[in-house]
Amino acid sequence: MDISIVVPVYNEQDNVEAVYSALSETLKGMDCTYEIVMVDDGSSDGSYGVLARLASEDAALKVIRFRRNFGQTAAMSAGFDYAQGDVVIPMDGDLQNDPADIPRLIEKIDEGYDVVSGWRRDRKDTFITRKIPSLLANAIISRLTGVHLHDYGCTLKAYRREVLEGINLYGEMHRFVPALACQFGARVIELPVNHRPRIHGVSKYGISRTLRVILDLMTVKFLMSYSTKPIQLFGRWGVYTMLAGLGSGAMTLYMKLFEHLSMNRNPLLILTGFLLFMGAQFIAMGLLGELNARTYFESQGKPIYVVKDRINLG
Ligand code: UDP
Ligand code: MG
């Protein structure tokens, strides 16, 4: 299998058929073997019915249905797990991404890149609630992860499958795959892609996503920099805090001896206790982190979803 397309679908009953047809048309013109894996993320509309009908006529369309809505990241993750192609290409199920961009993505993969990330240079979404927050988030992500892309949020990307194998996704983390992949030495490149306004159905996200993305960014940054050595982060702050506590203690003593200020009337004594206690907590947290890191790396990863149905997957 050359190419696997992975499409997360949540309440897109008026879009899935058009997405499927456009994809089939592009892929058939490409002289390659392919599959289209559509993941119904617990839709409450007729999406699954449409998918089941389409899949009954085409064995290249494979469908996974979640028991409930687990979120776009989980849906993509399921698609990645089942995908068999050498190149895996996720794409939105709302026609906002353009299947006609796929040959260009593949070209870049053939040039030797492991990850080709779509860049919606001319993004067709609302300005205030979507484009501005995304501009900000992209700048922060670029800065913190050190993987410089303009548009992390674009679903349309192409991955060499090996790249995805070591990566488990949680929360809103699908957008961080290029950054995580880079950690494993993947070659990442960005490619401007077409973006279209949503015609049928509604967007599943609003401004609140920005906060979720920022929180996930903290996780990713931590995982990228300290997941194998949490004591280096927490222990460092523990030591700094304790040193500050000792300084404050010395100050209290100095004030008692030379300025005749009784220690129990000096608020610095309380600060001393507080800082020493906090420092010890930080160090303990670092040690617990070390323990957790061992569990994390040495135990087996569990899937983050529960599958209800599978079509054409045996
Ligand atoms: N999606 C999903 N599960 C969710 C939310 C969204 O599978 O909980 C899918 C949705 O059907 C679409 C893609 O993820 O195919 C992107 O969602 P959307 O178009 O709402 O996001 P936007 O383009 O507005 O950022
Ligand atoms: Mg969309």
Side-chain angles (χ1 to χ4, degrees):
M1 184 83 68
D2 299 325
I3 300 177
S4 296
I5 309 290
V6 171
V7 186
V9 171
Y10 180 49
N11 292 346
E12 309 281 5
Q13 62 177 4
D14 300 322
N15 289 319
V16 280
E17 181 148 12
V19 170
Y20 163 78
S21 315
L23 275 171
S24 302
E25 194 185 323
T26 305
L27 291 162
K28 279 184 184 134
M30 280 179 68
D31 185 33
C32 64
T33 50
Y34 69 88
E35 64 180 354
I36 302 172
V37 183
M38 295 229 187
V39 185
D40 174 13
D41 183 13
S43 295
S44 52
D45 67 353
S47 301
Y48 183 73
V50 179
L51 290 176
R53 173 170 57 77
L54 294 171
S56 68
E57 290 155 13
D58 181 0
L61 174 61
K62 303 170 181 183
V63 180
I64 298 163
R65 182 191 197 180
F66 283 178
R67 280 198 180 276
R68 65 164 174 84
N69 180 240
F70 282 87
Q72 186 183 350
T73 298
M76 289 170 67
S77 187
F80 293 163
D81 289 346
Y82 284 99
Q84 287 167 14
D86 297 330
V87 180
V88 180
I89 302 182
M91 201 184 93
D92 277 346
D94 59 0
L95 280 174
Q96 289 200 266
N97 294 136
D98 187 353
D101 286 320
I102 291 173
R104 289 169 51 238
L105 296 173
I106 297 291
E107 249 170 52
K108 286 287 168 201
I109 293 279
D110 288 341
E111 277 174 32
Y113 291 98
D114 300 305
V115 178
V116 186
S117 185
W119 170 15
R120 297 165 292 180
R121 190 146 61 176
D122 184 16
R123 187 170 169 184
K124 299 291 193 305
D125 278 319
T126 54
F127 190 69
I128 301 280
T129 55
R130 304 304 294 278
K131 291 214 265 190
I132 295 276
S134 135
L135 216 67
L136 258 170
N138 284 325
I140 302 175
I141 298 172
S142 167
R143 176 85 203 256
L144 281 187
T145 61
V147 180
H148 303 295
L149 302 178
H150 290 90
D151 185 8
Y152 295 84
C154 181
T155 308
L156 184 62
K157 295 182 163 85
Y159 302 105
R160 218 178 276 281
R161 205 185 42 189
E162 308 89 88
V163 167
L164 292 172
E165 263 155 23
I167 297 178
N168 292 325
L169 300 177
Y170 301 86
E172 285 284 313
M173 250 164 234
H174 62 266
R175 72 192 56 241
F176 296 115
V177 176
L180 293 169
C182 214
Q183 281 292 99
F184 300 111
R187 290 181 68 202
V188 181
I189 194 176
E190 196 168 41
L191 191 75
V193 294
N194 193 9
H195 193 242
R196 304 178 287 199
R198 184 188 259 277
I199 294 167
H200 301 292
V202 290
S203 171
K204 314 299 180 292
Y205 301 106
I207 187 116
S208 69
R209 180 164 65 182
T210 317
L211 179 62
R212 282 189 275 159
V213 168
I214 296 295
L215 291 174
D216 276 346
L217 174 63
M218 284 168 55
T219 313
V220 168
K221 174 68 189 168
F222 177 73
L223 290 178
M224 284 175 79
S225 306
Y226 296 105
S227 64
T228 56
K229 44 181 185 199
I231 190 75
Q232 297 296 333
L233 179 68
F234 293 109
R236 173 189 305 262
W237 284 102
V239 171
Y240 290 163
T241 317
M242 282 188 136
L243 285 177
L246 290 178
S248 155
M251 196 77 156
T252 322
L253 217 56
Y254 175 87
M255 286 172 162
K256 177 185 167 54
L257 294 178
F258 300 102
E259 293 174 4
H260 307 293
L261 179 65
S262 153
M263 278 174 85
N264 60 355
R265 295 192 171 219
N266 190 344
L268 283 185
L269 185 66
I270 297 173
L271 185 68
T272 306
F274 181 69
L275 288 175
L276 289 178
F277 180 71
M278 222 167 85
Q281 290 275 306
F282 268 135
I283 290 171
M285 208 146 47
L287 290 172
L288 284 178
E290 288 287 324
L291 213 59
N292 256 326
R294 278 151 186 71
T295 316
Y296 176 79
F297 284 102
E298 291 164 24
S299 70
Q300 230 183 321
K302 287 186 184 134
I304 54 169
Y305 52 81
V306 187
V307 172
K308 187 175 183 184
D309 299 304
R310 293 166 214 193
I311 296 183
N312 295 340
L313 279 159

